[in-house]
Amino acid sequence: MAFPQSYVANPDRYSNAQFRRCGKSGIKLPLITLGLWQNFGGDDVFETGRAMLRRAFDRGVTHFDLANNYGPPYGSAEENFGKVLRTDFAAHRDELIISSKAGWDMWPGPYGIGGSKKYLVASLDQSLKRMGLEYVDIFYTHRPDFDTPIEETVSALAQIVRQGKALYVGISSYSPERTKIAYELLAKEGIRLLIHQPSYSMLNRFLEQGLLDTLGELGVGCIAFSPLAQGLLTNKYLKGDATQNTRASGGDSSFSKDLLKPETLGRVRALSAIAEKRGQSLAQMAIAWTLRDPRVTSSLIGARNVAQLDDSLNSLRNLTFSEEELKQINQYAVDTPEIDLWRPVNSR
């Protein structure tokens, strides 16, 4: 594969970068993290993904979020990220926070999914090999596994830290109650739970139903994923048209056309009008809104191309909300459970 000219990082990348402390840890994360869930897997998108990673770092994004099965195909996002690490970021490894996860399906059979020690340890070994790393900065259990004792899952996380394969550990889509249990079990192992990764947006407010308070009390960081509600909180659907190059039209399993209900789209249009008055796009306001509470460490975004990435990063230019704006937003930012695909696991 041919690569463009060698990369030289922007020397001013930290001049306007914004960071927030992750709970009570010593780690600060950028207010926006770039996730590689979509659009970074496979050969066809490599150069586009590489351009986005370069641009993100040049604008002060130091945190890149991956998982074992990001692609498609599974594993390819980590493989592509590993190529960029070697060609562009090798001299900057210690400026980066790199995370990966395991929990959802990855390979056939009973040992390629869930929260067992067998799966978590093997999966991280594979992720490290794909990325060409000795360790990740954060390793998550990607979801609660109700068929595996939580003690076993936590024991695997503790083992991974002690082996030096991850510096910190996190959880994703855990309920407040299970978060407390995981925190306490890790504490008995002498390890702090660094961070929780829940879904959160103006149309999915489950985080506010006890979880954010729990994280604040425990001193655990919070990184909110899907701040754009799987793309609903963008200009794509303002006219109710899901036929033009959208996740709804592409058969994406994380988005259903059933979400495009008239009442939901009506609220989206009202939120867009508020964003316009603020001088922001709907997506920019949606991202900024997730960061209005300082207990939310970072907002985790995806992007299709550099232009879309820049638009999302520009949300940091206006993070302030007046009380009147928040009051107006709350009229339309209504929790919509069917949008939260993870509620069946994060509410147990």
Side-chain angles (χ1 to χ4, degrees), residues 202 227-228 233 268 270-278 280-291 311-312 315 318-319 321 325 329:
M202 290 191 291
L228 303 183
L233 294 170
V268 170
L271 290 168
S272 180
I274 297 172
E276 186 175 357
K277 292 179 182 177
R278 285 171 49 84
Q280 290 182 308
S281 67
L282 174 58
Q284 288 169 345
M285 186 180 78
I287 293 168
W289 183 88
T290 64
L291 294 166
D311 184 74
S312 293
S315 63
N318 185 6
L319 295 174
F321 290 86
E325 284 176 326
I329 288 171

Side-chain angles (χ1 to χ4, degrees), residues 42-55:
D43 291 338
D44 292 343
V45 301
F46 177 77
E47 291 300 346
T48 300
R50 186 186 192 196
M52 287 190 282
L53 290 167
R54 287 177 165 189
R55 180 62 172 168

Side-chain angles (χ1 to χ4, degrees), residues 112 159 334 341:
Q159 175 178 314
V334 178
L341 304 178

Side-chain angles (χ1 to χ4, degrees), residues 130-275:
R130 281 191 289 267
M131 291 187 283
L133 292 172
E134 295 181 358
Y135 68 91
V136 291
D137 297 282
I138 306 171
F139 180 70
Y140 292 86
T141 170
H142 206 165
R143 61 161 177 160
D145 175 10
F146 304 106
D147 294 326
T148 299
I150 192 171
E151 292 83 0
E152 178 176 344
T153 299
V154 168
S155 174
L157 296 179
Q159 175 178 314
I160 284 165
V161 171
R162 292 196 182 103
Q163 291 178 334
K165 296 177 181 178
L167 300 184
Y168 303 92
V169 291
I171 57 178
S172 180
S173 299
Y174 275 50
S175 67
E177 295 75 17
R178 291 182 72 86
T179 296
K180 290 179 182 178
I181 294 170
Y183 177 91
E184 292 167 357
L185 289 172
L186 280 168
K188 289 180 180 179
E189 300 273 4
I191 295 170
R192 169 173 284 277
L193 176 61
L194 176 74
I195 194 167
H196 189 299
Q197 187 173 130
S199 57
Y200 184 47
S201 73
M202 290 191 291
L203 299 178
N204 171 16
R205 302 184 68 162
F206 176 80
L207 175 63
E208 300 169 12
Q209 300 171 26
L211 180 56
L212 188 57
D213 287 338
T214 296
L215 299 179
E217 293 166 5
L218 298 177
V220 174
C222 175
I223 178 168
F225 76 87
S226 200
L228 303 183
Q230 290 90 262
L232 263 178
L233 294 170
T234 68
N235 294 336
K236 297 175 187 176
Y237 304 106
L238 292 181
K239 296 181 180 179
D241 183 2
T243 63
Q244 298 298 320
N245 192 29
T246 66
R247 291 172 70 175
S249 64
D252 187 338
S253 61
S254 69
F255 195 104
S256 169
K257 291 182 182 180
D258 294 337
L259 300 180
L260 302 177
K261 296 179 180 179
E263 57 269 32
T264 302
L265 290 175
R267 294 199 300 271
V268 170
R269 294 187 190 100
L271 290 168
S272 180
I274 297 172

